[in-house]
Amino acid sequence: MTEMSPAAQAAAAGTTGFKAPGTTPTRTPRGFTLGLAGVNFGIFLALLTPVMVSMAFKIQHLSPDADTAKANLGLVLGVGALFALFANPLAGRLSDRTTSRWGMRRPWIVGGAVVGLAGFALIGLATSIWIVLLAWCIVQAAMNAVLAAANATLPDQVPVESRGKVSGIVGITTPLGILGGSFLMNYLPGDFERFVVPAVIAAVLAVIFALMLKDRVLTERPTARLTIGAFLGSFVFNPVKHPDFGWTWLTKFFVMFGYAGIATFLPFYLVERFQLSEQDAIGTILLANLASMAAMMISSPLGGILSDRVGKRRPFVAVAGAIMVVGLVILAVAPSIPVLIIAQAIIGLGAGSFFSVDLALATQVLPNPDDTAKDLGVLNIANALPQSIAPAIAPAIIAFGATTPIGGYTTWYLFGALVALAGAVLVYRIKGVK
């Protein structure tokens, strides 16, 4: 095949926003930030609404008792998160090698959203735990493929000096997705609607982003073959050769364990500790997420802008982790619903600062500029893995805590606080970024 110049490749892509592999963009394309934020919002709306609210009640409807429901929830979310763990870096690596005339990232963004929508519909219709498990694995694989491809467009399209601002805006989409899902749950009457409506919104936003994206186009497949070794390499990295990348991974894992992994059992916590009905629990989760969102609206964009201005990332991550620890401790001992809501606001304040700089920091420690999607996918394992490990170990920790004066759920949230604290400390092991 005849080699094409970057300009010719841009013409083939039908866009002037092309960035040749291995080069750094000089400006952010118009509308890109809003589009990337939109697709992230849609995916988090579809994925985190079940994790935070609807999956617990779907499992409860299919389980004979509370203890069985906890075990089933841990099984479904734990195994599903493992599929997310593998799908994200694999889809990232494959998108780095995609030679479609439609671009490197677009096929994965649109295809993943459509497959994910079908999986959500299957969950809504499921009448057994095993069907829910199968469908959730499909959903996690498909939607994480969308995330891998979509977020790989950030280093494709955005200059280094602007990534904190873009990352901060995109970071808001996580709490917005949670908040939007909590709001929808108050008005969607049945399991089918609770799973399908957020998925439809995600698919629409993914298609819109794909249509407006000035995607890179590869005219020749990379010379290196995707062997079994390379396939397995999609999920690993060399922490000795790239220590900053390794410490970034660990930091992200510990902080996300404290944030996302711990939150899974909040519906059961509200029902069992405060004797709330299902509908009252959903309403309380909405209020808690509103408080969290309000705090994030302050800390997320502010953190990203300040991080760019002072040229530092690590202090924002460290402070974020410490604030989240305070919120988790208060949540663990909350004597009332108002205190619980305050605790969620504090956690949101810390999480906003973390999300505002997390992606920007990650793009500065990537080992290979030509494998950005693959490497970001490896980092995204640190997002998915806590959501697998936490539900799997939660029933045992809660059961153990129930035999002590501390209490089951108190023990669980204090454990999460310790893990998040470890993340706040470990960020200073990263030496190549201030």
Side-chain angles (χ1 to χ4, degrees):
M1 182 178 292
T2 303
E3 184 176 355
M4 300 173 66
S5 68
Q9 293 181 40
T15 173
T16 59
F18 176 81
K19 180 185 89 70
T23 64
T24 302
T26 57
R27 62 181 178 85
T28 304
R30 181 177 299 177
F32 171 80
T33 302
L34 183 60
L36 182 60
V39 72
N40 272 267
F41 166 77
I43 298 302
F44 287 127
L45 174 72
L47 276 181
L48 294 183
T49 298
V51 171
M52 300 294 186
V53 187
S54 56
M55 186 64 80
F57 293 124
K58 174 70 178 184
I59 295 296
Q60 193 173 57
H61 299 159
L62 299 176
S63 302
D65 54 64
D67 288 338
T68 303
K70 290 176 189 174
N72 286 339
L73 181 64
L75 173 68
V76 170
L77 294 184
V79 175
L82 286 177
F83 274 74
L85 185 155
F86 287 106
N88 205 304
L90 178 59
R93 167 153 282 190
L94 291 175
S95 78
D96 282 335
R97 302 171 60 89
T98 297
T99 56
S100 165
R101 289 184 299 174
W102 208 33
M104 299 171 65
R105 318 301 185 191
R106 282 171 171 164
W108 297 93
I109 294 170
V110 175
V114 171
V115 173
L117 175 58
F120 278 115
L122 184 58
I123 295 174
L125 296 170
T127 57
S128 77
I129 296 297
W130 298 110
I131 295 176
V132 172
L133 174 60
L134 172 64
W136 184 243
C137 290
I138 294 171
V139 161
Q140 283 280 25
M143 291 305 203
N144 273 276
V146 178
L147 280 179
N151 287 334
T153 63
L154 189 145
D156 286 351
Q157 308 280 339
V158 181
V160 172
E161 65 273 12
S162 299
R163 290 178 189 172
K165 179 176 66 176
V166 176
S167 179
I169 295 171
V170 172
I172 298 175
T173 63
T174 300
L176 275 176
I178 296 172
L179 179 62
S182 302
F183 179 81
L184 285 174
M185 292 306 100
N186 279 270
Y187 299 98
L188 299 176
D191 287 332
F192 183 77
E193 296 89 347
R194 289 176 179 178
F195 285 94
V196 171
V197 171
V200 169
I201 295 172
V204 170
L205 291 173
V207 170
I208 291 173
F209 178 66
L211 291 174
M212 58 77 63
L213 177 65
K214 298 176 179 180
D215 201 3
R216 293 168 54 183
V217 174
L218 290 183
T219 57
E220 291 185 357
R221 193 176 300 278
T223 55
R225 296 179 59 189
L226 187 58
T227 62
I228 296 297
F231 170 81
L232 295 176
S234 299
F235 313 108
V236 297
F237 60 93
N238 187 337
V240 176
K241 187 177 180 181
H242 305 288
D244 281 353
F245 191 74
W247 290 118
T248 300
W249 194 98
L250 277 178
T251 296
K252 189 180 186 74
F253 172 85
F254 286 135
V255 174
M256 289 305 297
F257 188 101
Y259 179 71
I262 287 296
T264 301
F265 281 75
L266 183 60
F268 290 160
Y269 180 48
L270 291 170
V271 170
E272 294 184 25
R273 180 160 181 168
F274 298 100
Q275 285 77 53
L276 299 184
S277 66
E278 179 176 319
Q279 195 58 43
D280 287 341
I282 291 174
T284 300
I285 291 172
L286 173 60
L287 290 176
N289 287 334
L290 279 169
S292 180
M293 180 64 215
M296 282 190 174
M297 288 292 290
I298 297 172
S299 63
S300 188
L302 184 62
I305 293 170
L306 289 176
S307 175
D308 280 342
R309 183 166 298 176
V310 302
K312 295 182 179 181
R313 312 293 189 195
R314 296 183 304 174
F316 294 91
V317 173
V319 170
I323 294 173
M324 290 172 63
V325 168
V326 173
L328 285 165
V329 170
I330 296 174
L331 181 63
V333 298
S336 65
I337 295 298
V339 175
L340 181 144
I341 292 173
I342 291 172
Q344 289 290 93
I346 295 172
I347 293 171
L349 188 69
S353 179
F354 176 75
F355 291 134
S356 70
V357 296
D358 169 55
L359 188 55
L361 186 152
T363 62
Q364 292 180 242
V365 297
L366 298 179
N368 187 345
D370 290 331
D371 277 336
T372 54
K374 175 261 181 184
D375 292 330
L376 285 173
V378 171
L379 278 175
N380 279 330
I381 292 176
N383 280 335
L385 195 57
Q387 297 175 50
S388 177
I389 293 176
I393 67 176
I397 294 177
I398 292 171
F400 170 78
T403 65
T404 70
I406 297 177
Y409 285 102
T410 298
T411 301
W412 175 235
Y413 289 120
L414 288 176
F415 178 75
L418 287 174
V419 176
L421 180 61
V425 173
L426 286 177
V427 71
Y428 280 99
R429 299 289 295 179
I430 302 169
K431 303 302 182 182
V433 179
K434 293 182 179 180

